[in-house]
């Protein structure tokens, strides 16, 4: 079966510099950086019985892989830094697809100046996104995307209880394939009152202008938000809720409605947490990419976002439960969302997903992980529904303190109301990993 080949052109760093950077990070002491660092190197081989994920014919493929994961966390009086990243090189022996890098990174940096009165923020989200959500999620149907945001914010204390602030940020969203690159300017003002040692209430106004590159096929537009925010932080809870009004201004089209955002982190105990993220607001392709990556522990997972650049109403609710005693960890995630377009109802859809991941240290050297995920996509206007079921089992053996051998079996099945979109894939993976001893 002939499959279109693609070449990945965008990388986080030049590939020729990768060995040098990794050698410094992975073999140096963390004291050199004075930060928390977790790192892993890996190499392996995989066998797939349907790499193109088609319903008619199977495409067997042998895949040689090599990659790394890197996390950095630093918190000081003037700096907050968090980086989550991963990258894997895939070489397809039968040339079903061209060799490629699958990588993702989420960077958050805040630098405080003048005793915290001015903060400069840098956010960068890099990863993959499906080009056509209606097609199979195979290597030929994803592209690299990068969403970069930076700018200053000003915070002034008026008295012991009241403060005002302003922020200005510039963003750029770049796509590898589609001509929908865009730039964004966001302006914000707020007035806040400290109610007590744990809670604060504020009045906020933000305006964001989205302008597409010359040659793109999308309309420029503006999103205005006016809302009240209530936030509360104590030993067990980090909670914030935004309630207000939002309006979108698109040429020959306008829309308005409620604005709701809820973020709640609950420390149930020393070994368990509960997280709720919910709301209703206007969104778009780039915004959904960043939202999905920030709420996914894997930064290189290809985001399933609308194919169009047009804005839409995004209603969502995601609940995560984490349980991690000494030798076991469990993560349960549930989510439901809707995407509603004013002028493109054929893009409207509802998404439901549930996932469960269980990890266990069976003995001092033997460990295992099992996971299952169900995802339903219901395209309401075109009468199409896709049910995806995936499962994986990993069994590993530690060779000392740094090396381990792992065997993994993966299964993915799609049942679609469009029969030609059904597929099944089984993939077997053998890998060796290296984790620097100081990261354990």
């Amino acid at each position: 079966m002939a499959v279109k080949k693609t070449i990945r052109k965008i990388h986080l760093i030049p590939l020729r510099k990768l060995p040098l950077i990794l050698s410094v990070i992975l073999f140096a002491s963390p004291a050199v950086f004075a930060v928390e660092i977790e790192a892993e190197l890996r190499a392996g081989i995989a066998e797939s019985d349907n790499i193109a994920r088609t319903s008619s014919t199977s495409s067997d493929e042998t895949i040689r892989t090599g990659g790394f994961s890197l996390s950095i966390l630093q918190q000081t009086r003037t700096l907050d830094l968090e980086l989550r990243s991963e990258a894997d090189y895939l070489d397809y022996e039968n040339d079903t697809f061209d060799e490629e890098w699958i990588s993702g990174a989420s960077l958050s940096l805040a630098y405080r100046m003048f005793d915290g009165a001015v903060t400069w923020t840098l956010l960068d989200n890099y990863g993959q996104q499906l080009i056509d959500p209606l097609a199979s999620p195979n290597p030929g149907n994803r592209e690299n995307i990068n969403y970069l945001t930076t700018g200053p914010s000003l915070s002034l204390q008026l008295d012991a209880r009241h403060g005002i602030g302003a922020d200005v940020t510039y963003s750029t969203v770049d796509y590898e394939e589609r001509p929908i690159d865009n730039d964004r300017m966001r302006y914000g003002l707020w007035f806040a009152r400290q109610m007590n040692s744990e809670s604060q209430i504020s009045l906020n106004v933000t305006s964001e202008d989205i302008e597409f590159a010359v040659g793109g096929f999308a309309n420029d537009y503006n999103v205005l938000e006016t809302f009240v925010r209530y936030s509360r932080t104590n030993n067990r809870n980090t909670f914030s809720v935004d309630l207000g009004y939002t309006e979108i201004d698109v040429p020959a089209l306008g829309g308005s409605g409620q604005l709701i955002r809820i973020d709640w982190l609950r420390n149930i105990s020393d070994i368990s947490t509960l997280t709720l993220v919910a709301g209703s607001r206007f969104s778009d392709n780039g915004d959904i990419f960043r939202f999905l990556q920030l709420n996914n522990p894997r930064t290189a997972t290809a985001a399933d976002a609308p194919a169009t650049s047009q804005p839409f109403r995004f209603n969502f609710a995601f609940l995560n439960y984490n349980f991690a005693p000494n030798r076991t960890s469990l993560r349960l995630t549930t989510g439901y969302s809707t995407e509603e377009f004013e002028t493109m109802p054929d893009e409207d859809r509802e998404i439901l997903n549930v996932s469960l991941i269980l990890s266990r240290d069976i003995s001092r050297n033997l460990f295992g992980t099992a996971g299952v995920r169900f995802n339903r996509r219901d395209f309401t206007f075109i009468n199409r529904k896709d049910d995806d079921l995936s499962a994986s089992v990993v069994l590993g053996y530690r060779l000392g303190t740094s090396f381990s051998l792992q065997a993994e079996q993966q299964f993915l099945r799609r049942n679609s109301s469009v029969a030609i979109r059904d597929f099944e894939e089984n993939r077997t993976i053998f890998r060796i990993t290296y984790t620097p001893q100081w990261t354990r």
Side-chain angles (χ1 to χ4, degrees):
M1 175 182 177
V3 179
K4 180 182 178 181
K5 297 184 178 182
T6 58
I7 300 176
R8 307 292 171 224
K9 302 175 183 177
I10 302 175
H11 301 283
L12 289 172
I13 53 177
L15 293 184
R16 65 180 181 275
K17 297 183 181 180
L18 194 58
L20 175 61
I21 294 174
L22 286 179
S23 64
V24 172
I25 292 172
L26 295 176
F27 297 99
S29 165
V32 175
F33 303 95
V35 296
E36 296 181 25
I37 301 176
E38 295 183 359
E40 178 188 88
L41 282 174
R42 52 184 174 267
I45 190 168
E47 292 284 344
S48 170
D49 64 359
N50 188 11
I51 189 63
R53 295 176 174 175
T54 58
S55 60
S56 55
T57 58
S58 298
S59 304
D60 294 345
E61 184 61 89
T62 300
I63 313 163
R64 291 180 286 267
T65 69
F68 71 93
S69 299
L70 173 66
S71 297
I72 300 176
L73 179 64
Q74 183 179 26
Q75 293 181 321
T76 68
R77 185 178 64 86
T78 59
L79 178 68
D80 290 336
L81 169 65
E82 182 179 7
L83 170 68
R84 299 183 298 121
S85 64
E86 56 183 317
D88 286 283
Y89 174 76
L90 278 65
D91 180 24
Y92 300 93
E93 184 176 272
N94 298 330
D95 293 327
T96 307
F97 297 96
D98 285 343
E99 60 190 22
E100 62 175 344
W101 279 90
I102 298 179
S103 53
S106 176
L107 171 66
S108 174
L109 183 150
Y111 183 71
R112 290 175 288 276
M113 301 169 281
F114 308 110
D115 294 326
V118 177
T119 301
W120 195 281
T121 300
L122 173 67
L123 302 174
D124 192 31
N125 295 90
Y126 171 86
Q128 277 77 45
Q129 188 176 94
L130 296 181
I131 298 174
D132 181 4
L134 294 173
S136 299
N138 61 43
N141 186 32
R142 56 178 176 243
E143 66 175 326
N144 295 319
I145 175 175
N146 192 76
Y147 191 159
L148 172 68
T149 299
T150 188
S153 64
L154 173 67
S155 177
L156 299 177
Q157 197 72 26
L158 300 178
D159 55 37
R161 287 186 175 271
H162 299 88
I164 59 173
D167 59 82
V168 178
T169 59
Y170 165 77
S171 300
T172 178
V173 187
D174 298 309
Y175 295 81
E176 179 185 14
E177 300 288 345
R178 287 171 290 177
I180 54 175
D181 296 355
N182 60 85
D183 297 326
R184 304 169 183 232
M185 288 297 301
R186 181 184 181 277
Y187 310 91
L189 294 171
W190 56 264
F191 172 78
R193 172 179 169 80
Q194 193 74 30
M195 303 176 67
N196 53 50
S197 60
E198 296 183 350
S199 59
Q200 177 180 276
I201 190 168
S202 63
L203 176 63
N204 304 260
V205 179
T206 67
S207 177
E208 185 173 34
D209 296 316
I210 294 90
E211 182 177 343
F212 289 85
V214 176
F217 56 81
N219 292 318
D220 300 343
Y221 61 94
N222 170 271
V223 178
L224 177 68
E225 296 182 347
T226 304
F227 58 94
V228 174
R229 171 174 294 170
Y230 171 78
S231 59
R232 182 181 178 90
T233 302
N234 54 37
N235 292 335
R236 287 191 173 271
N237 296 279
T238 300
F239 174 80
S240 72
V241 57
D242 297 346
L243 298 175
Y245 172 83
T246 181
E247 181 177 296
I248 188 167
D249 182 15
V250 183
L253 173 67
S256 61
Q258 76 279 1
L259 171 66
I260 304 171
R261 277 188 293 257
I262 300 172
D263 289 278
W264 179 38
L265 170 63
R266 169 71 174 176
N267 295 308
I268 301 173
S269 68
D270 292 339
I271 59 174
S272 62
T273 61
L274 185 69
T275 305
L276 172 66
V277 179
S280 177
R281 58 182 174 84
F282 287 115
S283 185
D284 58 64
N285 184 283
D287 177 70
I288 285 294
F289 164 74
R290 170 171 281 179
F291 176 85
L292 293 176
Q293 189 181 73
L294 291 175
N295 288 279
N296 192 330
R298 296 292 306 276
T299 59
T301 302
D304 182 3
T308 178
S309 61
Q310 295 298 314
F312 55 89
R313 166 67 65 171
F314 182 46
N315 306 299
F316 58 95
F318 295 89
L319 185 66
N320 299 325
Y321 174 72
N322 289 280
F323 176 71
N326 291 333
R327 298 173 57 189
T328 303
S329 67
L330 181 146
R331 177 182 175 89
L332 174 64
T333 302
T334 63
Y336 174 78
S337 63
T338 64
E339 299 162 359
E340 302 170 356
F341 291 80
E342 290 289 335
T343 60
M344 306 179 66
D346 55 320
E347 297 283 347
D348 289 0
R349 61 179 183 170
E350 300 178 7
I351 300 176
L352 171 68
N353 58 73
V354 181
S355 67
L356 176 66
I357 300 175
L358 176 65
S359 299
R360 172 74 175 175
D361 283 340
I362 302 170
S363 67
R364 180 178 179 181
N365 295 324
L366 191 65
F367 61 93
T369 299
V372 61
R373 175 183 174 86
F374 173 79
N375 185 77
R376 168 169 290 176
R377 308 183 309 165
D378 188 356
F379 295 83
T380 54
F381 186 82
I382 62 175
N383 194 28
R384 172 172 169 175
K385 183 182 295 184
D386 296 336
D387 288 343
D388 293 352
L389 178 64
S390 60
S392 64
V393 177
V394 180
L395 188 63
Y397 187 83
R398 297 186 182 94
L399 303 172
T401 58
S402 297
F403 289 93
S404 70
L405 297 176
Q406 299 179 17
E408 180 175 2
Q409 183 65 42
Q410 298 178 350
F411 169 77
L412 174 60
R413 181 180 65 198
R414 169 169 291 177
N415 287 328
S416 175
S417 58
V418 180
I420 61 173
R421 296 301 185 183
D422 291 348
F423 67 82
E424 284 190 9
E425 183 197 13
N426 293 279
R427 188 177 298 194
T428 304
I429 306 170
F430 297 96
R431 68 172 69 92
I432 182 171
T433 69
Y434 170 74
T435 303
Q437 189 171 357
W438 45 262
T439 70
R440 301 181 64 83

